[in-house]
């Protein structure tokens, strides 16, 4: 790597090398670095261009100009290069030459810059237990082809004294068929998915004439022939019902929430021109274009109304959880579909053409391309992180907690430039002091807990920072092991500040693991990394190690039945010192098929498998009730030491996949560079 190109990359937070899954230094090709710099608006295609870009960096870093955003951790102070006018959030104004340690938390102005004073840590999360729920898998007599917010409210009310319910992402779709099944590739993370509406709970439905209600009731889709969730059929039925009720809605104020009106405008345009805004007429491809600003359609008000109905039902579900220590925990997907609403509305804050992914590992030797858009770190800084803040605020309106998918992405993401393969990308760094600090600020204001999905290989600083800030990590039974010996760690060795669970929606269910379902299915689909016999041998060893763990804890006998083993796994979780423990409905109902099989797309029915039992049967299930009692009676053991051990990372071939789309993600470490050079933190 040319020294000047290396310096330019470092100045913009672009990695020129990283540690791979074998913890070996891996050099990034110059072409990849040049491609990623281009996505950041930096021309590095020739030596002369690199020299010019470095000179620009020098000019940027000289003088007294503050960066676009200054982040100050509560209790810290900072000298300023020159006196500047400080305007606090409450409107108080004064001239300062240093930032005092007692500035209030919040969003302030420092001359032309944004000053964010963020908490040093969140309040300690409560000690409680709860359910992990893929909401779409629920079904009841009143839901239409998939679980909905009415089902969620009922489940919360009958959840066996649980302290929280952790959901899959409820982010918005583009309301045009075909509807994507994956909740991890949304059109917008700022708004919610109308597929989850309970039509019969709408005020307009209750006030409609009996004949209208009858027409709507007749729209309810029947079971799909293949037994899977048919999102297209569900949306077609609900959209028709909403259109029948729309005349009863009354006036809609488009000025009340400009951000929502912009999203609704996208939905209306997508209905006319298709879901991919890149293929719209040229004059419509920017939200601030004259043709877009002049666009008028009753469908804008319609989609505003639809979103408000979703918000009402989210509020009703949250109200049902009012007595829970945590409540309803939402899930934040790592990125968005670049062709969707946020890709259009926030395009100036996103890197055009980038595809977030993962570098090669032993399981995915060509790397991974998730096809997700990524924030531009430099633009976030210059715009005061406004888009990021707005996204968090909208989610926290309805959340008692937030699980952050692939939390390592708040430090760095693997970017794949256009025209290159997944292995030809590199890491781009973000400012974690800003990304986590703003997350903490908005969570604290909402009274919410934060859970970081930190599975796989993560930098030690990431685990330490989550711990320092009282953000919980994720401890999954399958992967809390000593990977040198293959042995599972005892319950007492689990982290204190963590959410403990048996599995995740990307991993085998408890019953599936005990039966070797994941080996059988992957063998049928040709998804195995080794031979079939090698995989069965590995599975038998893993199963034996797990049962030995349960026997060593005195929880099972020599040859336990599946139900006995599953109960023992939950007894084991109850013994951990983790602040939160979660049980999955898939585990307690002894479901064998996992919701998502990483590495597959159409080969496996990802995100479309309903639970075998309906909601009434779920909450009456004896195993459901027994697990609720086990976790409800839990006495959280205190750790003997205050330190939280850094988990031993798994070999890349067996690491826990992070959750996005239907691909396995194993994060390799990176050790080059710091945050973007134009950021400023204290």
């Amino acid at each position: 790597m040319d020294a000047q190109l290396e310096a330019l990359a470092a100045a913009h937070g672009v990695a020129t090398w990283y540690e791979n899954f074998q913890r070996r230094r891996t050099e990034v090709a110059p072409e990849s670095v040049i491609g990623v710099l281009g996505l950041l608006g930096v021309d590095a295609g020739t030596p002369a261009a690199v020299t010019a870009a470095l000179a620009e960096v020098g000019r940027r870093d000289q003088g007294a100009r503050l960066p676009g955003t200054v982040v100050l951790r509560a209790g810290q102070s900072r000298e300023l290069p020159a006196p500047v006018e400080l305007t606090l959030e409450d409107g108080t104004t004064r001239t300062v030459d240093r930032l005092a340690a007692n500035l209030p938390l919040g969003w302030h102005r420092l001359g032309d810059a944004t000053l964010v004073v963020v908490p040093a840590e969140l309040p300690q999360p409560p000690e409680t237990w709860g359910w992990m729920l893929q909401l779409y898998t629920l079904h009841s007599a009143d839901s239409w082809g998939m679980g909905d917010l009415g089902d969620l409210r009922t489940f919360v009310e009958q959840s066996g004294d649980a302290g929280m319910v952790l959901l899959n992402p409820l982010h918005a779709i583009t309301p045009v068929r075909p509807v994507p099944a994956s909740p991890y590739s949304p059109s917008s993370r700022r708004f919610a998915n109308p597929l989850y509406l309970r039509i019969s709970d709408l005020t307009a439905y209750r006030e409609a004439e009996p004949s209208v209600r009858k027409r709507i009731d007749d729209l309810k889709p029947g079971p799909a022939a293949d037994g899977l969730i048919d999102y297209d059929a569900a949306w077609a039925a609900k959209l028709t019902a909403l259109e029948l009720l729309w005349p009863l809605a009354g006036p809609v104020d488009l000025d009340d929430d400009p951000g929502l009106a912009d999203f609704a405008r996208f939905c209306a345009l997508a209905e006319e021109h298709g879901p991919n805004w890149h293929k719209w007429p040229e004059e419509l491809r920017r939200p601030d274009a004259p043709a877009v600003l002049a666009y008028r359609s009753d469908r804008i008000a319609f989609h505003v109304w639809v979103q408000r109905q979703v918000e009402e039902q989210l509020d009703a579900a949250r109200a049902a959880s009012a007595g829970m220590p945590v409540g309803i925990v939402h899930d934040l997907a790592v990125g968005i579909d670049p062709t969707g609403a946020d890709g259009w509305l926030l395009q100036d804050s996103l890197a055009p053409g980038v595809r977030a992914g993962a570098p090669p590992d032993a399981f995915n030797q060509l790397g991974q391309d998730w096809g997700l858009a990524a924030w531009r770190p430099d633009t976030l800084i210059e715009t005061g992180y406004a888009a990021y803040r707005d996204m968090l605020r909208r989610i926290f309106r309805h959340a008692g907690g937030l699980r952050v998918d692939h939390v390592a992405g708040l430090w760095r993401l693997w970017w794949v430039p256009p025209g290159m393969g997944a292995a030809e990308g590199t890491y781009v760094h973000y400012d974690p002091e800003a990304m986590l600090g703003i997350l903490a600020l908005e969570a604290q204001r909402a009274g919410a807990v934060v859970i970081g999905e930190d599975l796989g290989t993560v930098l030690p600083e990431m685990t330490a920072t989550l711990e320092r800030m009282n953000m919980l990590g994720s401890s999954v039974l399958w992967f809390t092991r000593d990977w040198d010996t293959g042995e599972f760690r005892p319950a007492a060795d689990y982290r204190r500040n963590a959410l403990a669970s048996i599995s995740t929606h990307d991993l085998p269910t408890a019953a599936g693991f005990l039966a070797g379902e994941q080996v059988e299915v992957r063998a049928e689909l040709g998804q195995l990394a080794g031979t079939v016999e090698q995989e069965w041998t590995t599975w038998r060893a893993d199963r034996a190690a797990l049962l030995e763990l349960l026997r060593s804890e005195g929880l099972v006998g020599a040859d336990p039945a599946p139900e006995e083993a599953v109960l023992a796994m939950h007894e084991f979780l109850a013994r951990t010192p983790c602040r939160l423990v979660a049980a999955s409905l898939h585990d307690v109902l002894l479901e064998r098929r996992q919701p998502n099989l990483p590495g597959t797309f159409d080969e496996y029915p990802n995100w479309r498998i309903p639970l075998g039992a309906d909601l009434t049967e779920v909450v009456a299930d004896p195993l459901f009730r027994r697990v609720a009692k086990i976790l409800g009676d839990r006495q959280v053991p205190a750790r003997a030491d205050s330190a939280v051990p850094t988990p031993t990372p798994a070999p890349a071939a067996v690491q826990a996949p992070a959750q996005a789309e239907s691909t396995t993600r194993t994060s390799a470490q990176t050790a080059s560079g710091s945050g973007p050079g134009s950021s400023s933190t204290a």
Side-chain angles (χ1 to χ4, degrees):
M1 181 75 64
D2 175 78
Q4 280 203 312
L5 179 59
E6 226 176 289
L8 182 62
H12 290 279
V14 177
T16 57
W17 67 275
Y18 63 96
E19 288 186 7
N20 68 10
F21 64 96
Q22 296 168 319
R23 299 191 178 278
R24 295 176 181 169
R25 177 171 172 137
T26 301
E27 302 293 337
V28 178
E31 294 77 14
S32 298
V33 172
I34 291 168
V36 168
L37 283 170
L39 293 170
L40 291 167
V42 180
D43 181 6
T46 66
V50 171
T51 299
L54 276 174
E56 180 60 32
V57 169
R59 288 190 291 272
R60 180 195 71 188
D61 294 342
Q62 287 178 351
R65 177 187 178 272
L66 290 170
T69 306
V70 175
V71 179
L72 186 72
R73 196 186 303 174
Q76 294 185 339
S77 60
R78 171 175 172 167
E79 298 296 329
L80 296 173
V84 64
E85 185 175 77
L86 170 64
T87 303
L88 298 180
E89 204 170 38
D90 64 4
T92 304
T93 301
R94 60 179 181 269
T95 299
V96 297
D97 56 11
R98 67 185 299 273
L99 299 176
N102 62 352
L103 286 176
L105 297 177
W107 295 85
H108 315 299
R109 297 296 300 174
L110 193 60
D112 294 331
T114 298
L115 169 64
V116 194
V117 182
V118 301
E121 61 184 24
L122 288 172
Q124 271 195 354
E127 296 172 346
T128 189
W129 72 279
W131 298 103
M132 296 193 304
L133 172 61
Q134 300 293 301
L135 181 55
Y136 61 87
T137 67
L138 273 185
H139 49 97
S140 66
D142 296 322
S143 52
W144 288 18
M146 60 181 287
D148 61 27
L149 292 168
D151 289 330
L152 174 60
R153 189 182 66 252
T154 300
F155 181 79
V156 166
E157 293 168 347
Q158 302 179 22
S159 60
D161 296 322
M164 68 171 187
V165 176
L166 170 59
L167 302 176
N168 56 281
L170 302 186
H171 303 317
I173 59 170
T174 297
V176 177
R177 288 177 285 172
V179 177
S182 172
Y184 288 96
S185 186
S187 179
S188 173
R189 294 183 292 179
R190 298 178 297 148
F191 302 97
N193 190 341
L195 270 168
Y196 289 104
L197 277 171
R198 168 70 62 85
I199 297 296
S200 58
D201 284 352
L202 298 176
T203 300
Y205 174 89
R206 293 195 295 268
E207 294 177 349
E209 296 291 334
S211 60
V212 175
R213 292 201 299 272
K214 175 64 168 58
R215 288 177 64 191
I216 290 172
D217 294 343
D218 290 343
L219 292 170
K220 180 179 179 179
D226 58 6
L228 300 174
I229 295 169
D230 187 337
Y231 290 96
D232 282 348
W235 178 236
K238 292 188 179 186
L239 179 60
T240 301
L242 290 165
E243 288 170 338
L244 287 170
L245 295 172
W246 168 232
L248 306 176
V252 173
D253 184 359
L254 298 182
D255 298 324
D256 179 55
D257 186 341
L260 175 55
D262 289 341
F263 171 74
R265 185 174 293 106
F266 170 86
C267 294
L269 287 167
E271 288 178 322
E272 288 188 27
H273 301 286
N276 184 349
W277 63 270
H278 295 278
K279 297 181 179 180
W280 291 358
E282 184 71 34
E283 66 271 15
L284 299 177
R285 293 182 190 172
R286 285 195 57 86
D288 55 359
V292 172
L293 297 176
Y295 176 74
R296 298 290 181 269
S297 170
D298 187 52
R299 299 296 287 185
I300 300 175
F302 170 75
H303 287 291
V304 167
W305 174 73
V306 168
Q307 279 296 311
R308 287 178 176 159
Q309 307 315 297
V310 183
E311 288 188 2
E312 286 185 9
Q313 294 192 8
L314 285 168
D315 286 340
R318 189 175 189 187
S321 73
M324 291 181 165
V326 174
I328 296 173
V329 180
H330 287 247
D331 197 348
L332 177 65
V334 69
I336 55 162
D337 176 358
T339 70
D342 281 357
W344 182 66
L345 289 164
L346 305 178
Q347 58 188 276
D348 290 341
S349 295
L350 303 170
V354 72
R355 306 184 315 278
D361 59 48
F363 193 76
N364 297 276
Q365 296 179 10
L366 299 179
Q368 296 173 67
D369 179 353
W370 310 324
L372 301 176
W375 298 116
R376 271 187 64 156
D378 55 340
T379 306
L380 285 177
I381 293 164
E382 291 306 317
T383 57
Y385 289 83
Y388 178 61
R389 176 192 63 192
D390 179 60
M391 176 190 73
L392 293 172
R393 281 185 176 175
R394 288 184 183 275
I395 294 172
F396 279 129
R397 287 180 187 177
H398 312 288
L402 183 66
R403 173 193 176 275
V404 181
D405 179 44
H406 190 53
V407 73
L410 301 183
W411 278 265
R412 50 72 178 133
L413 271 178
W414 183 261
W415 284 22
V416 182
M420 293 189 180
E424 298 173 294
T426 189
Y427 282 112
V428 171
H429 292 259
Y430 296 81
D431 181 353
E433 190 80 6
M435 299 295 281
L436 279 105
I438 291 168
L439 172 60
L441 174 61
E442 297 304 325
Q444 181 167 310
R445 288 184 160 185
V449 302
V450 173
I451 302 164
E453 184 272 287
D454 60 346
L455 303 176
T457 303
V458 297
L459 293 167
E461 68 196 56
M462 298 176 183
T463 303
T465 302
L466 292 176
E467 170 68 17
R468 173 183 64 77
M469 296 184 71
N470 276 329
M471 295 180 176
L472 303 182
S474 299
S475 291
V476 174
L477 174 59
W478 296 157
F479 295 101
T480 308
R481 305 171 69 169
D482 181 334
W483 292 102
D484 292 330
T485 65
E487 295 178 353
F488 288 86
R489 292 186 181 275
D493 281 359
Y494 274 56
R495 292 181 284 174
R496 178 83 167 120
N497 268 14
L499 165 70
S501 64
I502 293 173
S503 185
T504 76
H505 56 258
D506 276 348
L507 296 171
T509 64
F513 175 82
L514 292 170
E517 175 81 4
Q518 72 279 16
V519 180
E520 188 173 325
V521 171
R522 291 170 63 217
E524 290 176 359
L525 299 177
Q527 296 291 319
L528 298 179
T531 68
V532 174
E533 186 50 43
Q534 286 172 335
E535 291 289 333
W536 281 115
T537 299
T538 299
W539 166 74
R540 282 189 286 268
D542 286 346
R543 185 179 187 274
L546 176 63
L547 293 178
E548 177 56 34
L549 170 75
L550 300 178
R551 279 192 290 268
S552 71
E553 298 263 351
L555 297 173
V556 296
D559 188 20
E563 181 174 326
E564 181 187 357
V566 170
L567 279 172
M569 292 180 207
H570 289 95
E571 290 270 17
F572 176 85
L573 292 184
R575 295 182 176 185
T576 69
C578 299
R579 292 190 180 277
L580 299 182
V581 172
S584 165
L585 291 189
H586 285 78
D587 292 337
V588 301
L589 297 175
L590 302 181
E591 297 276 349
R592 288 179 55 160
R593 292 196 293 178
Q594 64 193 71
N596 175 52
L597 184 65
T600 65
F601 293 90
D602 296 332
E603 306 96 323
Y604 186 84
N606 295 308
W607 318 112
R608 295 184 290 132
I609 304 172
L611 291 170
D614 69 17
L615 178 53
T616 301
E617 295 167 330
V618 167
V619 297
D621 185 271
L623 198 54
F624 175 93
R625 289 297 171 187
R626 290 180 70 183
V627 168
K629 184 172 189 336
I630 288 169
L631 299 183
D633 291 344
R634 174 181 185 241
Q635 299 295 317
V636 182
R639 286 189 60 90
D641 59 320
S642 59
V644 176
T646 300
T648 302
V654 290
Q655 280 172 6
Q659 290 70 40
E661 279 302 296
S662 300
T663 55
T664 303
R665 294 201 317 221
T666 303
S667 55
Q669 290 192 31
T670 177
S672 78
S674 56
S678 56
S679 67
S680 178
T681 58

